[in-house]
Amino acid sequence: GNPDEYSVGDFALYIQKLTKSKSKIINLEKSLDDPTQRKPNIEVAKQVLNWKPMVTVEDGLKKTIEYFAGVLKETGEIIPTGPGASKPRGAE
């Protein structure tokens, strides 16, 4: 969790910058259950659990990118998982 708000587009641009990717970002229609706000309220976690974010968004993205780069190097592909998961268009 992080108390800052980022859109999916914000993350796409941030990841593109961190990876130095030249991939084209394609904006698709949002799904019906797409949340309009992505800024979590972490006050309860702070008060009850004495918890606060310890990793910045940038560091978290860098660690995630590093993880997936390792998976890609080891297996040669990233396999999407979860309900309705699919590979990006053109990745087949």
Side-chain angles (χ1 to χ4, degrees):
N2 186 293
D4 299 325
E5 184 160 8
Y6 294 90
S7 70
V8 172
D10 292 336
F11 275 119
L13 291 170
Y14 208 165
I15 292 165
Q16 187 179 48
K17 176 183 159 192
L18 291 173
T19 60
K20 297 178 176 66
S21 171
K22 297 195 185 332
S23 296
K24 180 180 177 187
I25 295 172
I26 300 171
N27 296 302
L28 303 175
E29 292 291 323
K30 68 179 185 174
S31 61
L32 295 175
D33 62 348
D34 189 25
T36 57
Q37 183 177 1
R38 291 178 178 81
K39 181 178 180 179
N41 182 341
I42 62 171
E43 287 306 312
V44 172
K46 283 181 175 179
Q47 293 170 5
V48 175
L49 303 173
N50 195 29
W51 176 88
K52 65 179 180 178
M54 302 290 287
V55 178
T56 65
V57 169
E58 182 170 341
D59 287 344
L61 285 175
K62 285 178 178 178
K63 288 179 182 189
T64 302
I65 291 164
E66 184 179 307
Y67 167 80
F68 281 106
V71 170
L72 186 59
K73 183 177 181 180
E74 184 177 314
T75 66
E77 67 178 332
I78 303 292
I79 301 172
T81 61
S86 61
K87 291 185 178 182
R89 283 183 253 161
E92 280 85 58

